[in-house]
């Protein structure tokens, strides 16, 4: 599969698209706000400790306070937290339990409470694990990690790990020996996939570079006020180079001269051999238009996505989960119903996997496939979904199809989904997705005038409404006005007002002719 990175840089926005065989697979957007702070390291101040939730709010200098769970607190090598944990672990003879995904302290999770570990007003070094999402603040952790090209430094752990993608046991042992022999301090490291077959000198050099970076962060922590930013993750363009070009993509094309030179300078320091893979785009046509990406991005914002066969899927975002519904639509098949349903479901599987990845949908996802009678067909759809999600770099977990034809799955969520970045709630329906029907509004007006008429002393009643409602009251629903005039004994004068929301109306009395 040929992978290419397309980067569009504007004054206040940078967009990075990962193309697979010419089709956009992932989209990343940076707008200079707090939408993507994952990886940043802060000196924060504990605002409030919540024993009932075993969590705490931490001020890191953003509008919304960040939050941290008890399991995300380690005995970091800074501040008073470490001393407290060491004293208690020695007293209780507890041990540190570390897994490949990152360090964790078993005695914190199971035997100690968050109020025993941190206090309100305390300074704390944290790293943003997830950016703010909707009404939720950023999620932070004291499990600090500093990624390089070949290794990831974990200064709050002493665990040595090797990427699971490196399967050769001899190479895994070689890398572990290199990291252990090059590690001068009791830091944790994970050898990344890119470290495979790399010489010891290069890995050792990067380990030293990351160690110096960590020492500088620690010094800054000692002298900086709280809250403050200690370390900023590299720009989205350089992240694309570090995480995509160095590991997956064959080519990178960028339309910014300064961005192009910044990438070349970055590669000069780490991988000079990849400089030939970077190209500066100079054509007048916008780069995303040249690669036909804008249409795919717009399609990824739609609730309904059509399939080539004529079927379609509907993607609904709710507060708790994402619901995806599969429908046959215009597809009627050729032979029998079961075959038509199977073909629609299999086609939907590919589109669902594609849309979930492109839209960066995370959390709980419920997929409602069209009911299939044959167990073998259900297994085909389930296996097809598993295979389609292999290319997704975010961690997913899928449960088999239930008796009701539903598949439940989870996908790791780190950033806002694409719709949250590029869209906002409708100012008319306030994100509800529905407006009160025009007929219902007319009936509401009828009841409101009846209520107020009892206290009215004027000769007429004035009604200001949206022009569409005014048209309805003069037409199909005019019987309501006629009925009201008969009941209250007053003339009702309707004034259209385009400034009013469809659901808004004003009723007031006219005292004199």
């Amino acid at each position: 599969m040929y992978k290419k990175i397309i980067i569009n840089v504007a004054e206040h926005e940078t967009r990075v698209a990962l193309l697979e065989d010419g089709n956009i697979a992932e989209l990343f957007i940076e707008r200079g706000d707090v939408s993507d702070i994952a990886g940043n390291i802060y000196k924060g101040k504990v605002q409030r400790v919540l024993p009932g939730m075993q969590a705490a709010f931490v001020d890191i200098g953003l509008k919304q306070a960040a939050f941290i769970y008890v399991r995300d607190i380690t005995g970091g090598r800074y501040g008073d937290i470490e001393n407290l944990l060491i004293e208690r672990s020695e007293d209780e003879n507890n041990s540190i339990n570390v897994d490949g995904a990152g360090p964790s302290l078993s005695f914190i999770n199971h035997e100690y409470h968050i109020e025993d570990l941190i206090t309100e007003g305390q300074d704390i070094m944290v790293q943003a694990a997830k950016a703010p999402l909707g009404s939720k603040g950023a999620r932070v952790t004291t499990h600090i990690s500093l990624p390089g090209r070949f290794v990831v430094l974990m200064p709050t752990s002493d665990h040595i790990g090797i990427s699971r993608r490196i399967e050769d046991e001899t190479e895994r042992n070689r890398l572990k020996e290199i990291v252990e022999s090059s590690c001068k301090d009791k830091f944790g490291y994970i050898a990344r996939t890119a470290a495979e077959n790399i010489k010891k000198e290069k890995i050792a050099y990067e380990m030293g570079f990351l160690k110096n970076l960590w020492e500088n962060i620690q010094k800054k922590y000692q002298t900086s006020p709280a809250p403050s930013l200690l370390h900023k993750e590299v720009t989205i363009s350089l992240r694309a180079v570090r995480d995509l070009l160095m590991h997956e993509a064959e080519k990178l094309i960028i339309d910014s001269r300064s961005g192009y030179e910044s990438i070349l300078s970055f590669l000069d320091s780490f991988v000079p051999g990849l400089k030939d893979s970077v190209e500066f785009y100079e054509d007048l046509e916008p780069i995303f238009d040249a690669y036909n990406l804008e249409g795919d991005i717009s399609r990824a914002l739609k609730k309904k996505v059509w399939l080539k066969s004529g079927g379609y899927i509907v993607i609904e975002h709710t507060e708790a989960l994402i619901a995806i519904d599969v429908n046959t639509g215009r597809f009627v098949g050729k032979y029998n119903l079961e075959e038509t349903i199977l073909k629609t479901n299999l086609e939907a599987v590919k589109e669902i996997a594609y849309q979930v990845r492109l839209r960066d949908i995370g959390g709980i996802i419920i997929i409602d496939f069209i009911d299939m009678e044959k167990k073998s067909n259900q297994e085909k759809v389930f296996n097809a979904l598993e295979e389609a999600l292999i290319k997704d770099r975010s961690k997913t977990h899928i449960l088999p199809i239930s008796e009701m034809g539903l598949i439940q799955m989870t996908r790791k969520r780190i950033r806002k989904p694409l719709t949250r970045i590029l869209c906002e709630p409708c100012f008319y329906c306030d994100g509800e997705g529905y407006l009160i029907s025009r007929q219902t509004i007319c009936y509401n007006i009828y009841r409101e005038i009846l209520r107020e008429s009892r206290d009215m002393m004027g000769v007429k009643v004035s009604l200001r409404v949206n022009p569409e409602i005014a048209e309805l009251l003069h037409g199909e629903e005019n019987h309501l006005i006629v009925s009201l005039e008969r009941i209250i004994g007053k003339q009702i004068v309707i004034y259209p007002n385009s400034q009013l929301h469809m659901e808004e109306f004003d009723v007031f009395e006219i005292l004199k002719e």
Side-chain angles (χ1 to χ4, degrees):
M1 182 181 293
Y2 186 76
K3 296 186 180 183
K4 186 186 294 185
I5 302 166
I6 308 298
I7 302 180
N8 167 230
V9 181
E11 186 175 352
H12 301 294
E13 178 188 65
T14 301
R15 299 185 296 173
V16 176
L18 173 64
L19 273 57
E20 294 179 348
D21 292 335
N23 297 315
I24 183 170
E26 296 182 39
L27 179 67
F28 307 93
I29 299 174
E30 187 174 75
R31 287 180 169 170
D33 53 16
V34 298
S35 61
D36 192 9
I37 64 167
N40 289 358
I41 299 175
Y42 298 87
K43 181 175 183 177
K45 187 176 288 292
V46 179
Q47 277 188 332
R48 189 179 173 198
V49 178
L50 306 172
M53 296 181 65
Q54 284 302 292
F57 287 110
V58 181
D59 180 12
I60 58 174
L62 305 182
K63 290 181 180 179
Q64 293 171 300
F67 63 96
I68 186 169
Y69 288 117
V70 65
R71 62 177 174 270
D72 291 325
I73 300 175
T74 69
R77 294 183 171 86
Y78 62 88
D80 297 329
I81 295 178
E82 180 198 10
N83 296 329
L84 175 65
L85 297 177
I86 289 174
E87 288 172 8
R88 292 185 174 177
S89 63
E90 287 176 349
D91 291 342
E92 301 294 332
N93 194 27
N94 287 303
S95 60
I96 296 177
N97 178 27
V98 181
D99 59 30
S104 64
L105 298 182
S106 58
F107 60 85
I108 293 179
N109 292 338
H110 302 296
E111 297 182 25
Y112 286 94
H113 302 289
I114 195 164
E115 61 269 29
D116 298 323
L117 302 171
I118 57 177
T119 57
E120 293 179 7
Q122 174 187 325
D123 292 345
I124 184 173
M125 186 191 295
V126 293
Q127 185 170 35
K130 291 183 180 180
L133 190 63
S135 59
K136 296 179 180 178
R139 180 170 172 177
V140 295
T141 176
T142 62
H143 299 295
I144 308 296
S145 62
L146 297 172
R149 185 197 175 197
F150 303 122
V151 295
V152 178
L153 168 63
M154 300 182 298
T156 58
S157 166
D158 59 2
H159 173 64
I160 305 297
I162 309 297
S163 168
R164 294 188 182 99
R165 293 185 182 181
I166 301 175
E167 297 178 352
D168 183 78
E169 198 61 35
T170 304
E171 178 62 12
R172 294 179 66 86
N173 292 333
R174 184 188 78 91
L175 288 173
K176 188 169 185 179
E177 186 180 332
I178 289 174
V179 173
E180 287 177 342
S181 62
S182 304
C183 185
K184 306 300 181 185
D185 296 277
K186 291 183 179 179
F187 290 157
Y189 288 92
I190 293 178
R192 305 184 73 175
T193 309
E196 190 170 12
N197 299 320
I198 297 298
K199 292 181 180 179
K200 177 180 179 179
E201 292 74 17
K202 286 190 175 182
I203 295 175
Y205 174 81
E206 185 171 86
M207 289 173 65
F209 171 81
L210 293 173
K211 177 176 173 289
N212 290 336
L213 176 60
W214 170 241
E215 288 176 351
N216 289 334
I217 292 171
Q218 284 183 299
K219 289 176 184 176
K220 200 171 179 182
Y221 175 82
Q222 298 298 334
T223 57
S224 300
S228 60
L229 177 65
L230 303 179
H231 170 73
K232 185 174 176 59
E233 176 67 304
V234 294
T235 65
I236 193 170
S237 298
L238 296 184
R239 285 205 303 276
V241 174
R242 184 191 68 196
D243 299 334
L244 298 175
L245 183 62
M246 290 182 176
H247 301 287
E248 300 181 39
E250 284 79 19
K251 196 171 188 63
L252 184 149
I253 304 171
I254 184 170
D255 63 358
S256 162
R257 172 63 70 178
S258 61
Y260 171 73
E261 291 172 354
S262 174
I263 288 173
L264 292 184
S265 175
F266 182 82
L267 289 173
D268 247 338
S269 304
F270 294 97
V271 203
L274 283 178
K275 291 171 69 175
D276 292 338
S277 301
V278 182
E279 179 183 318
F280 175 53
Y281 180 83
E282 299 183 80
D283 291 354
L284 293 177
E285 183 181 15
I287 189 169
F288 269 39
D289 289 344
Y291 286 91
N292 300 314
L293 303 182
E294 298 291 8
D296 286 333
I297 295 171
S298 297
R299 186 165 167 257
L301 302 177
K302 303 290 185 184
K303 189 164 68 172
K304 180 184 285 189
V305 180
W306 287 96
L307 307 175
K308 290 180 181 178
S309 66
Y312 63 90
I313 62 174
V314 177
I315 303 173
E316 292 271 11
H317 291 253
T318 74
E319 189 70 23
L321 52 83
I322 309 297
I324 303 177
D325 187 38
V326 182
N327 299 276
T328 54
R330 298 188 295 260
F331 182 51
V332 295
K334 292 182 179 180
Y335 300 105
N336 57 61
L337 179 61
E338 184 73 7
E339 183 196 46
T340 301
I341 290 172
L342 177 61
K343 284 188 175 181
T344 305
N345 283 340
L346 288 174
E347 188 181 8
V349 159
K350 294 180 181 178
E351 189 64 37
I352 288 168
Y354 173 74
Q355 291 294 332
V356 163
R357 189 178 171 199
L358 177 57
R359 298 175 188 226
D360 205 5
I361 295 172
I364 301 171
I365 303 170
I366 306 295
I367 307 172
D368 184 9
F369 285 104
I370 307 168
D371 290 340
M372 295 167 285
E373 292 183 2
K374 294 182 180 178
K375 190 74 175 177
S376 59
N377 288 343
Q378 293 181 9
E379 291 175 358
K380 284 179 184 178
V381 171
F382 176 77
N383 293 335
L385 182 60
E386 274 194 322
E387 186 177 345
L389 290 170
I390 288 175
K391 293 183 290 186
D392 195 339
R393 289 181 295 117
S394 289
K395 186 178 179 181
T396 57
H397 178 68
I398 317 169
L399 295 178
I401 295 182
S402 70
E403 293 181 1
M404 299 180 67
L406 303 176
I407 278 188
Q408 302 174 62
M409 63 173 283
T410 58
R411 184 174 184 270
K412 188 175 182 181
R413 176 169 54 197
I414 297 177
R415 297 177 298 273
K416 291 181 182 179
L418 194 61
T419 49
R420 288 284 185 91
I421 297 173
L422 299 181
C423 305
E424 62 183 21
C426 169
F427 64 89
Y428 249 13
C429 69
D430 197 24
E432 294 293 333
Y434 293 97
L435 290 173
I436 297 175
S437 72
R438 290 178 298 170
Q439 187 180 47
T440 302
I441 294 169
C442 291
Y443 291 162
N444 288 345
I445 291 170
Y446 177 88
R447 286 186 287 270
E448 184 65 20
I449 291 177
L450 277 181
R451 281 189 212 100
E452 295 194 14
S453 65
R454 289 173 295 186
D455 300 321
M456 287 183 178
M457 306 298 293
V459 295
K460 292 181 181 179
V461 175
S462 174
L463 173 64
R464 288 189 299 184
V465 293
N466 181 278
E468 290 196 31
I469 302 300
E471 184 179 349
L472 200 60
L473 289 173
H474 281 302
E476 294 176 36
E477 302 297 336
N478 183 251
H479 63 93
L480 295 176
I481 300 300
V482 173
S483 174
L484 278 170
E485 289 179 333
R486 186 182 70 252
I487 294 171
I488 67 176
K490 295 181 175 63
Q491 182 185 358
I492 299 173
V493 184
I494 302 172
Y495 296 97
N497 188 333
S498 59
Q499 300 300 312
L500 290 176
H501 184 289
M502 182 85 73
E503 298 174 2
E504 290 180 331
F505 57 86
D506 291 323
V507 178
F508 54 93
E509 59 183 326
I510 300 174
L511 297 176
K512 296 180 181 179
E513 288 283 356

